[in-house]
Amino acid sequence: MVRELSEISDKVKFEIIQASEGMEHTIAICNAEGEDLGLHFHGVPGGHEFNSFILAMYNAAGPGQDIGKDAEARVAAINEKKHLNIAVSLSCTMCPDLVAAAERIAAGNKNITVDVYDLAHYPDMQQKYNIHECSLHDR
């Protein structure tokens, strides 16, 4: 998928590197110098997560989505390292909003990192944390 994105635009590049154990399905968003920006998607960002993945690249590449001066100042004021792990189901319509918001914050502050896990590739995580995949009939 990332290879195909890179063929559409000269602004997107990809590099395949040897993954560490347990991270075989990981996509890291980096800047033009190849520096990891702390925005990781563990899985293939398809389904409802495709938009949040595109937004993460957009937010990391420049000024990103306008969240207002107040929110920008609050994001910039975070001076402690924070790491967010977010588990998603690609069929969930609620997950992308959370993912996009967390990634927007991380794109605006180097102290924040986000790892998004597609539970289809990480069933052990789902079981360990007793994560219930949402479905339309749960609402």
Side-chain angles (χ1 to χ4, degrees):
M1 185 215 55
V2 177
R3 178 177 296 145
E4 289 178 13
L5 278 175
S6 72
E7 292 171 0
I8 295 171
S9 171
D10 62 352
K11 305 285 187 211
V12 177
K13 307 266 187 270
F14 80 98
E15 178 183 356
I16 298 174
I17 60 171
Q18 183 63 40
S20 57
E21 187 174 334
M23 298 301 195
E24 293 84 1
H25 305 284
T26 303
I27 298 171
I29 296 177
C30 302
N31 62 17
E33 291 75 37
E35 176 187 30
D36 186 339
L37 298 176
L39 300 164
H40 305 130
F41 197 96
H42 305 274
V44 178
H48 295 291
E49 291 306 329
F50 184 73
N51 285 345
S52 56
F53 177 71
I54 296 299
L55 283 173
M57 289 192 302
Y58 173 71
N59 288 326
Q65 296 169 282
D66 182 12
I67 58 173
K69 291 185 186 297
D70 228 19
E72 284 285 347
R74 291 175 61 199
V75 168
I78 301 170
N79 58 11
E80 297 176 21
K81 297 270 186 204
K82 301 288 182 188
H83 180 79
L84 304 170
N85 287 316
I86 302 173
V88 301
S89 167
L90 298 185
S91 62
C92 178
T93 60
M94 308 285 280
C95 291
D97 291 340
L98 171 65
V99 171
E103 290 177 333
R104 176 62 181 97
I105 292 168
N109 187 315
K110 291 184 180 197
N111 287 318
I112 312 299
T113 57
V114 178
D115 282 86
V116 179
Y117 293 87
D118 174 1
L119 291 178
H121 293 287
Y122 295 90
D124 293 345
M125 178 185 222
Q126 182 176 6
Q127 186 173 13
K128 178 180 178 180
Y129 295 107
N130 194 26
I131 300 169
H132 172 76
E133 290 188 54
C134 68
S135 64
L136 290 176
H137 55 1
D138 288 340
R139 294 189 190 88

